C-alpha cells in the first residue's frame, strides 16, 4: 500500500443526505451500535453508518407492503439466475472482466462462500496460504476444518504495505492447495496493482495452486487506485480462480444476505455443486436479491455520493492522526473504509483494543484477531459521519495524552 497523502475535499451539503445521527444509529439495534454501552462509540464491524440508497429502501418497502413472505418466485427477473446475470454484466462494465453468469452460484454471504470453497477444494491436512493480517473468518475457515493455515508475511518498506513474495514462495509447500486473496485488502486497505497480481498468477501457475479471491470491496477504491480482478489477467489464470463478491459492502446491505461465487470453469462449478448441491447452498434471500438489483440498477448517485464522502473521511482521518497522534503508523487506505493502525510506538500498557475501549470508550477491531501477536494493532472503520469520526479521534487522542 503506497504512502499517499489524503486530504478532505469541499463537498455540496446536499450530497450528505445518507448520513444518520447517533440516536438514529442506536435505534437500528444492530451489532455495531448495540454491542457496547451508550457511552461507547463503535468503529469496528465493517458496515457503514449510512442510510441505504432510496431505491433499495423502496424495494424492501414493497416486500413488506405486499407481505411477500412466502416462497419467492423462481422465474422472471428476481431470481438467483437473473441477479447472477446482473453480476456478470456489472463486472464487465466496471472492470472489463467478463465472467460467465452460468458459472456464478448465488449464496447467502461471503463467510458462507469462504467456508464452502475451502471445504470443496481442499482436504484435511492441505495447506491454504493467505496474507497476514487477514480477515478472521479466513483463518477460521482454514483451521476449524482441519486445513493448515499458512500465513504469508506483509512487509512495510516505509512507503507501503505489501505481500512478501519471497516469503510466499518459500512458504508454499507440497501440501499447499489454495492461495487465498483479499483484494482490496481487509484490514490494511491495500489494492493490488497489476504487477503484484501478475506475480501471484505466475506463482499459482508454477505451483499448481487454486486461487480463492475475496473481492467484496472491489468498488470502494480511492484516488488513482483501481481494482483489477485477478481472473481478468488471462484465460490461463481465470481457469484456476474462484472469485467471491457481493453488493453488500458497496451498498451497505450486509444483513440482507446475497453474495456470489464465480468459478473460472464449469468443471470447478460442478465440483463445488457436487460437494454442496444447490438445495444445500442457501441462495440470496429474496430481500437480498431485490436489494442487489435496486443497488446495481438504480443507486448510482447514492454510490457516487457515498464514495465521495468516504474519501473525505479518509482524508480527515489521515490529517488528524498525522497532527494529533503521529506516533500511530498508518498508510492511507487505497480501498475499503478501514484503516490499519500500528500503535506500537505509543507504548500502551494494554493491547490497543483494550486501551481505547477502556480509556477512550471507542471500540476498534482488535489487531490480534487479524494476526498472531498483533496486540499493538487495531482496525478503524471510518465509514461514519464527520461528527462521529471527529469525536472518535478526539477521544483516542485524549486517552493517549492523559494516560498515567
Amino acid at each position: 500500500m503506497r504512502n499517499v497523502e489524503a486530504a478532505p475535499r469541499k463537498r455540496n451539503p446536499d450530497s450528505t443526505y445518507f448520513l444518520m445521527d447517533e440516536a438514529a444509529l442506536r435505534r437500528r439495534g444492530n451489532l455495531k451500535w448495540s454491542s457496547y454501552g451508550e457511552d461507547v462509540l463503535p468503529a469496528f464491524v465493517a458496515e457503514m453508518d449510512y442510510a441505504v440508497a432510496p431505491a433499495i429502501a423502496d424495494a424492501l418497502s414493497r416486500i413488506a407492503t405486499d407481505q411477500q413472505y412466502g416462497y419467492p418466485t423462481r422465474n422472471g427477473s428476481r431470481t438467483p439466475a437473473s441477479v447472477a446475470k446482473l453480476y456478470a454484466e456489472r463486472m464487465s462494465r466496471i472492470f472489463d472482466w467478463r465472467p460467465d453468469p452460468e458459472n456464478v452460484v448465488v449464496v447467502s454471504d461471503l463467510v458462507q462462500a469462504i467456508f464452502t470453497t475451502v471445504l470443496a477444494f481442499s482436504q484435511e491436512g492441505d495447506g491454504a496460504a493467505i496474507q497476514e493480517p487477514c480477515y478472521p473468518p479466513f483463518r477460521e475457515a482454514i483451521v476449524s476444518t482441519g486445513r493448515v493455515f499458512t500465513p504469508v508475511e506483509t512487509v512495510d518498506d516505509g512507503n507501503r504495505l505489501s505481500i512478501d513474495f519471497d516469503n510466499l514462495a518459500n512458504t508454499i509447500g507440497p501440501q499447499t492447495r489454495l492461495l487465498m486473496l483479499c483484494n482490496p485488502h481487509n484490514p490494511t486497505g491495500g489494492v493490488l496493482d497489476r504487477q503484484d497480481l501478475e506475480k501471484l498468477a505466475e506463482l499459482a501457475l508454477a505451483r499448481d495452486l487454486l486461487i480463492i479471491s475475496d473481492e467484496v470491496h472491489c468498488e470502494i477504491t480511492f484516488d488513482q487506485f483501481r481494482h483489477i480482478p485477478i481472473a481478468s489477467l488471462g484465460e490461463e489464470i481465470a481457469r484456476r480462480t474462484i472469485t467471491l463478491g457481493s453488493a453488500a459492502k458497496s451498498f451497505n446491505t450486509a444483513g440482507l444476505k446475497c453474495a456470489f461465487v464465480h468459478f473460472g470453469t464449469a468443471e470447478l462449478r460442478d465440483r463445488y455443486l457436487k460437494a454442496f448441491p444447490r438445495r444445500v447452498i442457501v441462495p440470496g434471500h429474496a430481500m437480498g436479491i431485490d436489494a442487489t438489483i435496486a443497488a446495481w440498477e438504480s443507486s448510482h448517485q447514492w454510490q457516487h455520493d457515498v464514495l465521495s464522502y468516504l474519501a473525505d473521511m479518509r482524508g480527515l482521518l489521515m490529517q488528524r492522526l498525522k497532527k494529533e497522534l503521529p506516533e500511530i503508523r498508518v498508510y492511507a487506505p487505497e480501498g475499503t473504509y478501514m484503516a490499519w493502525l500500528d500503535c506500537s510506538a505509543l507504548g500502551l500498557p494494554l493491547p490497543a483494543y483494550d486501551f481505547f475501549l477502556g480509556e477512550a470508550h471507542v471500540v476498534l477491531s482488535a489487531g490480534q484477531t487479524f494476526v498472531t501477536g498483533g496486540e499493538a494493532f487495531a482496525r478503524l472503520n471510518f465509514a461514519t459521519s464527520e461528527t462521529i469520526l471527529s469525536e472518535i479521534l478526539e477521544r483516542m487522542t485524549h486517552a493517549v495524552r492523559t494516560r498515567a
Side-chain angles (χ1 to χ4, degrees):
M1 187 163 58
R2 301 113 185 121
N3 190 4
V4 177
E5 289 291 329
R9 299 166 297 176
K10 292 182 179 179
R11 60 178 179 271
N12 182 343
D14 292 339
S15 68
T16 59
Y17 56 92
F18 48 81
L19 294 182
M20 300 177 71
D21 62 24
E22 183 178 339
L25 290 165
R26 293 196 184 278
R27 286 196 300 271
R28 276 181 164 180
N30 60 3
L31 174 71
K32 183 176 183 182
W33 283 90
S34 64
S35 296
Y36 296 83
E38 292 196 358
D39 60 336
V40 174
L41 290 178
F44 65 115
V45 67
E47 66 178 53
M48 306 181 202
D49 288 342
Y50 308 144
V52 296
I56 296 175
D58 290 344
L60 299 178
S61 178
R62 283 194 297 272
I63 291 175
T65 299
D66 297 338
Q67 298 192 34
Q68 300 172 21
Y69 307 138
Y71 294 111
T73 304
R74 292 305 179 195
N75 52 49
S77 61
R78 294 166 53 216
T79 66
S82 63
V83 82
K85 184 173 181 291
L86 275 178
Y87 169 73
E89 291 172 352
R90 189 171 185 85
M91 295 300 102
S92 176
R93 184 172 66 256
I94 298 177
F95 302 115
D96 197 27
W97 172 46
R98 293 168 178 79
D100 184 348
E102 293 297 320
N103 291 339
V104 174
V105 175
V106 181
V107 299
S108 64
D109 60 32
L110 261 290
V111 173
Q112 181 195 46
I114 292 168
F115 270 80
T116 53
T117 50
V118 167
L119 286 166
F121 296 101
S122 64
Q123 299 177 350
E124 290 190 26
D126 286 347
I130 186 167
Q131 179 187 2
E132 274 197 317
C134 69
Y135 177 49
F138 278 114
R139 185 194 307 270
E140 184 184 354
I142 296 166
V143 174
S144 69
T145 61
R147 278 65 176 169
V148 178
F149 181 79
T150 308
V152 177
E153 294 177 3
T154 294
V155 292
D156 181 348
D157 65 4
N159 188 55
R160 62 177 300 199
L161 297 176
S162 62
I163 296 172
D164 186 333
F165 284 96
D166 290 336
N167 176 255
L168 173 59
N170 293 330
T171 296
I172 294 172
Q175 292 303 114
T176 307
R177 297 287 180 267
L178 305 177
L179 175 59
M180 305 187 74
L181 306 181
C182 185
N183 180 39
H185 190 256
N186 179 7
T188 68
V191 175
L192 291 169
D193 59 23
R194 184 171 294 275
Q195 182 179 5
D196 284 347
L197 288 169
E198 288 174 346
K199 288 181 183 178
L200 291 169
E202 290 172 5
L203 188 62
L205 293 169
R207 303 293 185 92
D208 192 23
L209 302 175
L210 186 67
I211 296 173
I212 299 175
S213 184
D214 172 4
E215 302 183 9
V216 70
H217 292 98
C218 63
E219 295 189 36
I220 306 174
T221 58
F222 305 104
D223 297 335
Q224 76 272 26
F225 303 104
R226 294 294 181 267
H227 175 73
I228 302 171
I230 192 168
S232 71
L233 294 185
E235 185 176 347
E236 194 173 15
I237 195 63
R239 285 198 299 266
R240 61 175 63 240
T241 299
I242 298 167
T243 305
L244 314 182
S246 174
K249 296 303 180 185
S250 300
F251 291 91
N252 208 30
T253 58
L256 295 180
K257 303 301 181 186
C258 184
F260 309 90
V261 185
H262 175 264
F263 301 93
T265 64
E267 290 75 19
L268 287 175
R269 178 203 63 204
D270 292 345
R271 183 175 165 188
Y272 178 80
L273 291 175
K274 184 177 180 180
F276 298 98
R278 292 186 189 274
R279 285 285 189 177
V280 175
I281 291 292
V282 179
H285 188 279
M287 284 189 168
I289 287 177
D290 281 15
T292 299
I293 293 170
W296 286 345
E297 290 188 341
S298 308
S299 302
H300 313 299
Q301 188 62 51
W302 182 94
Q303 185 183 38
H304 173 273
D305 292 341
V306 163
L307 288 175
S308 177
Y309 193 82
L310 284 175
D312 288 346
M313 294 307 97
R314 168 180 173 261
L316 173 66
L317 173 70
M318 296 303 296
Q319 286 191 352
R320 292 281 298 272
L321 288 177
K322 182 178 181 180
K323 178 181 178 181
E324 299 165 17
L325 288 172
E327 302 94 333
I328 293 180
R329 189 174 181 84
V330 56
Y331 293 105
E334 299 163 0
T336 82
Y337 43 78
M338 276 81 72
W340 183 239
L341 311 182
D342 180 355
C343 304
S344 304
L346 291 176
L348 299 177
L350 299 169
Y353 164 84
D354 295 291
F355 175 81
F356 287 114
L357 175 58
E359 300 300 322
H361 290 191
V362 167
V363 188
L364 307 175
S365 295
Q368 61 268 31
T369 65
F370 295 89
V371 57
T372 302
E375 286 80 4
F377 291 80
R379 187 190 72 176
L380 186 150
N381 176 353
F382 57 86
T384 190
S385 69
E386 181 176 350
T387 300
I388 293 174
L389 181 58
S390 294
E391 176 64 20
I392 286 170
L393 295 172
E394 287 172 13
R395 291 186 183 192
M396 291 174 64
T397 301
H398 182 263
V400 169
R401 297 303 172 217
T402 60
R403 77 183 190 273

